[in-house]
Amino acid sequence: MKTAEERLVARFRRLNENDRETVLALAEFLAGRAGLEKVEESIEEPLPLGRPDHETVVAAMRRLRSTYPMIEAQAHGAQGRRVGRAAPCRGAMQKR
């Protein structure tokens, strides 16, 4: 009886090029899911940008965004939405 590897190779050889690519993609997916594939981690290093003596808050934010490009700009949670006006307190609505 043939081993599973031998059966797989025999069937793989009979496939056309497109089907071979599909089998390889599936095998790579399964190996990655099982943790068998080594995942290359690319760790970005901060870019050292000097701080000017007189820097505005906006300029500092831009400099820090350039220094740490690996951090998403919207990571703080506001997601660029405008905040509406707060509802007045109920006590403020009553006339005295």
Side-chain angles (χ1 to χ4, degrees), residues 27-61:
E28 289 169 357
F29 167 77
L30 293 174
R33 185 178 71 176
L36 302 175
E37 292 289 319
K38 182 180 176 184
V39 178
E40 293 182 27
E41 294 184 30
S42 61
I43 300 173
E44 293 183 47
E45 293 292 324
L47 306 172
L49 300 175
R51 180 179 178 264
D53 291 335
H54 302 287
E55 183 177 41
T56 66
V57 173
V58 173
M61 294 298 292

